C-alpha cells in the first residue's frame, strides 16, 4: 500500500525504474567509469525531487533526464579540468613548498567555488578580473591584451565585482 | 543578473565601482579621499566595502599554484569545456546537437567598437547592422554566421536563401524578412520583426518563432517573451526610443554605448522615462534627460557617470 509520501514521489519512482539503467549506461560510455556514472545518474534523480511540478507534464522523460544529467556532467568536467590545471601548477613547484593533501583538497574546493562564481560573466569581463586579481597585471597591460581602453577595464572590474557581490550576498 | 545592472544603485553597486578604481596600480590621493568620504557617509557603504575586500581576498589570497590553475583554466579550459558540453551527451539528447566548436571563426570577422553602429552587406539582398560592441564571424559556408558578442539585426529581401546564425545556446534559421538577435547573459534574445524563423537550441527541440514575437533561447529551452517592440529596432538608425521605461533600464541600455560606467542612484531608478535619445552622443542623451526629469548628471570619477536626484 502506498503512503502519501511515496505517492508524491510516484513520478520519480516510475522514471527511476524505467530509465535509471539507460541513463547510467549512457553516462558510463561518456565517463568510462562505472562508479562515476552511477554517482552522476543518482545525482540526476536527486535533482528531480526539486522539479516535481515539471515532471507531471513530462512528455519525453529521456530528453529531460539527459538535459539534467548534462548539467551535472558539465560541472564534473569543469571540476576535472580545474583539478588537472592545479596538479600541473603544483608539479611545476619545488617539492619543499607542496601543500599537504588535505590543504590541496581545500584549495581545490576554493578554486571550484571561485570558478563557478565567475562562470556566467562575459568572457572579457572575467578575463580582465582574473588578470588583475590573480596575475597582478596593471589595467594598462590588460587593456592592451584585450584590445580595449583602460576605461573599459575599470568598467569590467566593477561589473565582475558586483556580480560576485550579488551572488555571495 | 550577472552583468552589472547599473541603475539599481545602492551600496553594493557603488562599492564595486570604488573597488575598480582603487584596484588600479596608481591611485590619485584625491580619489582616495573621495572614497574615504563615501565609506564614512553611510554604514551600509562600510558593510558593502567589507564584502568587497572579503571577495577580493579570496582571489588574491590563493597560493601561487591555485592562482595559476584558475587563470590557466580560464584561458584554455573554457573553450574545451564548451566543446565537451556539446559532445558530452550529444547522442543522448536529441541527436542533432552539433559538436563543432562554433567559436572558431574562419575568414574576417565583422565587429563594432563600444558606441559604434554599422551596417554590412553579407550578400546580395542581405544586410546586417551590428550594434555597439558586437562581433559576427563568417561560418564555414557563405550562408552561415556566428554571433560571438553583442547584437545584430538582419534584413533579407524576398527570394534570398535561408541563412543560419549560430550563437552559444544554439542556432537560428531565418529567411526573407527582418529579425534581431542579442547575446545576453541569460541566452540569445531573438525578435522576429518581419517573417517567421526557426530556433534550434543545442539541447532541445527546434521551435518556430512567429512574425511579431520575441523569445529567449537558452541551450535547453525557448522561452516566449511576448510581442516585439517596434521601437526597439530603431537603434540601427542611431536612436533609442523608450516608452515608459524605468530610469534603471534606460541607464543600463545607454551604458552599453559608453566605454565608461553609467549608473543611477536607487532614488531615481524607478522614475518613468519616455523619449527618443541619440546613441551616437550619449552625453547629449543624458543632458536631455536632465532637462526633462528631476535628475542631474554627476561625473563621480573620470570613467563613472551617475544620474542623481536634482
Amino acid at each position: 500500500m502506498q503512503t502519501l509520501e511515496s505517492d508524491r514521489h510516484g513520478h520519480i519512482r516510475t522514471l527511476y525504474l524505467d530509465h535509471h539503467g539507460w541513463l547510467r549506461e549512457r553516462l558510463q560510455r561518456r565517463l568510462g567509469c562505472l562508479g562515476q556514472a552511477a554517482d552522476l545518474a543518482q545525482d540526476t534523480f536527486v535533482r528531480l525531487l526539486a522539479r516535481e511540478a515539471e515532471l507531471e507534464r513530462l512528455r519525453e522523460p529521456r530528453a529531460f533526464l539527459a538535459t539534467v544529467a548534462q548539467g551535472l556532467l558539465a560541472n564534473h568536467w569543469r571540476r576535472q579540468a580545474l583539478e588537472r590545471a592545479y596538479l600541473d601548477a603544483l608539479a611545476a613547484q619545488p617539492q619543499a613548498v607542496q601543500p599537504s593533501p588535505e590543504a590541496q583538497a581545500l584549495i581545490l574546493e576554493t578554486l571550484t567555488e571561485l570558478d563557478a562564481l565567475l562562470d556566467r560573466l562575459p568572457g572579457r569581463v572575467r578575463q580582465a578580473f582574473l588578470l588583475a586579481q590573480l596575475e597582478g597585471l596593471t589595467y594598462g597591460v590588460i587593456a592592451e591584451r584585450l584590445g580595449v581602453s583602460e576605461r573599459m577595464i575599470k568598467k569590467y572590474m566593477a561589473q565582475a565585482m558586483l556580480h560576485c557581490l550579488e551572488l555571495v550576498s | 543578473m550577472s552583468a552589472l545592472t547599473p541603475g539599481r544603485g545602492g551600496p553594493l553597486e557603488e562599492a564595486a565601482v570604488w573597488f575598480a578604481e582603487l584596484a588600479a596600480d596608481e591611485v590619485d590621493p584625491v580619489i582616495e579621499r573621495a572614497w574615504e568620504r563615501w565609506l564614512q557617509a553611510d554604514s551600509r557603504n562600510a558593510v558593502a566595502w567589507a564584502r568587497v575586500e572579503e571577495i577580493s581576498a579570496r582571489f588574491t589570497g590563493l597560493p601561487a599554484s591555485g592562482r595559476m590553475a584558475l587563470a590557466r583554466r580560464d584561458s584554455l579550459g573554457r573553450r574545451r569545456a564548451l566543446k565537451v558540453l556539446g559532445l558530452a551527451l550529444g547522442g543522448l539528447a536529441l541527436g542533432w546537437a552539433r559538436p563543432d566548436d562554433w567559436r572558431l571563426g574562419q575568414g574576417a570577422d565583422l565587429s563594432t567598437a563600444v558606441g559604434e553602429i554599422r551596417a554590412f552587406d553579407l550578400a546580395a539582398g542581405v544586410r546586417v547592422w551590428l550594434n555597439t560592441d558586437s562581433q559576427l564571424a563568417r561560418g564555414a559556408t557563405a550562408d552561415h554566421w556566428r554571433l560571438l558578442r553583442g547584437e545584430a539585426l538582419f534584413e533579407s529581401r524576398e527570394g534570398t536563401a535561408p541563412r543560419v546564425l549560430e550563437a552559444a545556446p544554439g542556432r537560428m534559421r531565418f529567411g526573407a524578412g527582418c529579425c534581431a538577435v542579442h547575446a545576453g547573459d541569460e541566452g540569445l534574445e531573438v525578435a522576429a520583426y518581419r517573417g517567421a524563423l526557426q530556433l534550434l537550441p543545442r539541447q532541445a527541440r527546434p521551435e518556430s518563432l512567429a512574425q511579431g514575437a520575441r523569445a529567449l533561447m537558452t541551450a535547453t529551452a525557448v522561452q516566449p517573451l511576448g510581442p516585439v517592440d517596434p521601437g526597439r529596432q530603431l537603434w540601427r538608425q542611431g536612436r533609442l526610443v523608450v516608452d515608459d521605461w524605468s530610469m534603471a533600464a534606460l541607464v543600463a541600455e545607454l551604458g552599453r554605448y559608453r566605454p565608461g560606467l553609467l549608473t543611477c542612484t536607487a532614488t531615481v531608478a524607478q522614475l518613468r522615462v519616455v523619449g527618443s535619445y541619440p546613441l551616437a552622443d550619449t552625453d547629449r542623451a543624458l543632458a536631455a534627460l536632465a532637462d526633462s526629469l528631476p535628475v542631474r548628471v554627476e561625473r563621480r570619477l573620470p570613467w563613472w557617470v551617475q544620474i542623481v536626484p536634482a
Side-chain angles (χ1 to χ4, degrees), chain B residues 7-10 264-270 306:
Chain B
R8 256 176 315 145
C264 68
T265 60
T267 40
V268 303
Q270 294 314 315
Q306 191 171 42

Side-chain angles (χ1 to χ4, degrees), chain B:
Chain B
M1 179 192 79
S2 68
L4 183 65
T5 320
R8 256 176 315 145
L12 283 187
E13 184 177 280
E14 298 199 353
V17 178
W18 282 114
F19 159 78
E21 181 63 29
L22 297 179
D25 38 309
E26 274 173 33
V27 180
D28 186 336
V30 175
I31 282 175
E32 210 157 333
R33 279 196 296 278
W35 164 70
E36 277 166 9
R37 279 197 302 278
W38 169 82
L39 197 59
Q40 286 155 12
D42 191 322
S43 64
R44 286 173 305 171
N45 292 353
V47 171
W49 187 253
R51 287 226 184 103
V52 163
E53 290 194 317
E54 189 257 324
I55 287 170
S56 176
R58 283 165 75 173
F59 288 91
T60 55
L62 286 171
S65 48
R67 271 184 279 153
M68 201 191 287
L70 197 56
R72 188 188 306 163
R73 147 100 180 89
D74 194 66
S75 53
L76 296 178
R78 278 181 206 272
R79 175 169 295 177
R80 212 170 51 197
L82 191 77
K83 197 167 175 177
V84 165
L85 207 81
L87 280 171
L89 288 170
L92 189 100
L94 289 164
W96 48 266
R98 281 205 353 199
D100 64 337
D101 192 337
W102 64 276
R103 272 175 207 270
L104 292 180
Q106 295 176 355
D109 290 357
L110 309 177
S111 64
T112 50
V114 173
E116 190 185 10
I117 297 165
R118 254 182 94 179
F120 302 88
D121 285 321
L122 299 183
V126 184
R127 174 168 284 200
V128 64
W129 282 261
L130 287 190
N131 205 346
T132 174
D133 198 16
S134 302
Q135 193 178 5
L136 191 67
R138 228 172 272 276
T141 56
D143 55 3
H144 196 126
W145 292 86
R146 300 180 171 106
L147 182 69
L148 302 186
R149 174 173 90 238
E151 186 171 12
L153 188 142
F154 296 89
E155 197 162 65
S156 318
R157 268 205 317 257
E158 282 307 319
T160 50
R163 256 142 238 282
V164 172
L165 178 87
E166 191 144 5
R171 283 180 288 162
M172 171 177 92
R173 197 174 292 139
F174 61 104
C178 177
C179 60
V181 286
H182 185 186
D185 304 327
E186 308 297 331
L188 189 76
E189 205 184 305
V190 182
Y193 289 108
R194 205 174 65 248
L197 48 86
Q198 220 188 9
L199 296 174
L200 303 89
R202 279 180 195 276
Q203 299 152 36
R205 310 202 116 186
E207 287 195 33
S208 298
L209 189 66
Q211 169 166 314
R214 258 179 351 123
L216 180 75
M217 175 165 68
T218 66
T220 54
V222 174
Q223 300 160 25
L225 293 177
V228 297
D229 168 4
R232 187 68 193 78
Q233 53 153 326
L234 293 175
W235 60 258
R236 68 173 141 163
Q237 287 154 34
R239 308 290 309 172
L240 174 63
V241 178
V242 306
D243 182 10
D244 197 30
W245 283 26
S246 69
M247 176 69 82
L250 177 65
V251 155
E253 188 61 20
L254 284 178
R256 292 175 56 204
Y257 298 85
R258 299 169 64 89
L261 185 66
L262 179 67
T263 65
C264 68
T265 60
T267 40
V268 303
Q270 294 314 315
L271 284 176
R272 307 312 293 183
V273 190
V274 174
S276 168
Y277 300 89
L279 291 171
D281 185 354
T282 51
D283 279 335
R284 203 151 63 79
L286 296 182
L289 208 56
D291 280 344
S292 58
L293 288 165
V295 297
R296 199 157 52 75
V297 179
E298 191 173 290
R299 185 170 288 271
R300 297 193 56 179
L301 289 169
W303 61 282
W304 177 26
V305 168
Q306 191 171 42
I307 311 293
V308 301

Side-chain angles (χ1 to χ4, degrees), chain A:
Chain A
M1 195 184 289
Q2 280 195 330
T3 64
L4 203 64
E5 182 66 9
S6 68
D7 205 35
R8 203 160 67 79
H9 294 319
H11 285 290
I12 293 176
R13 166 175 301 177
T14 312
L15 273 178
Y16 190 90
L17 291 175
D18 289 353
H19 308 295
H20 176 263
W22 168 83
L23 184 66
R24 196 191 50 202
E25 194 180 300
R26 292 305 193 280
L27 285 167
Q28 191 189 342
R29 221 176 284 162
R30 302 293 162 187
L31 289 160
C33 167
L34 180 62
Q36 285 179 346
D39 284 351
L40 268 186
Q42 204 64 33
D43 284 352
T44 304
F45 282 95
V46 170
R47 290 289 164 101
L48 298 189
L49 291 172
R51 302 172 70 167
E52 285 201 78
E54 288 169 71
L55 295 182
E56 303 199 358
R57 305 181 256 113
L58 215 55
R59 278 172 308 170
E60 295 184 58
R62 289 198 169 180
F64 182 75
L65 283 173
T67 303
V68 176
Q70 179 130 347
L72 292 171
L73 196 56
N75 284 342
H76 172 82
W77 293 116
R78 184 186 301 163
R79 204 189 151 89
Q80 217 173 42
L82 208 51
E83 187 169 357
R84 248 194 320 267
Y86 180 52
L87 292 179
D88 286 352
L90 277 182
Q93 284 196 330
Q95 206 64 33
V97 295
Q98 299 282 326
S100 69
E102 293 78 14
Q104 287 186 23
L106 275 178
I107 290 168
L108 193 59
E109 196 57 44
T110 309
L111 291 180
T112 312
E113 277 172 29
L114 294 179
D115 193 57
L117 199 57
L118 301 178
D119 195 46
R120 298 194 67 184
L121 281 173
R124 287 187 301 178
V125 175
R126 187 178 53 238
Q127 273 168 22
F129 184 77
L130 288 177
L131 289 173
Q133 292 277 288
L134 299 179
E135 302 192 17
L137 297 185
T138 65
Y139 288 1
V141 172
I142 299 171
E144 213 164 287
R145 248 196 222 187
L146 300 185
V148 296
S149 66
E150 279 193 55
R151 204 168 264 223
M152 273 314 274
I153 298 299
K154 287 186 177 177
K155 187 171 173 173
Y156 290 164
M157 291 294 283
Q159 214 169 330
M161 179 51 83
L162 183 61
H163 172 76
C164 293
L165 283 167
E166 287 181 337
L167 282 187
V168 166
S169 43

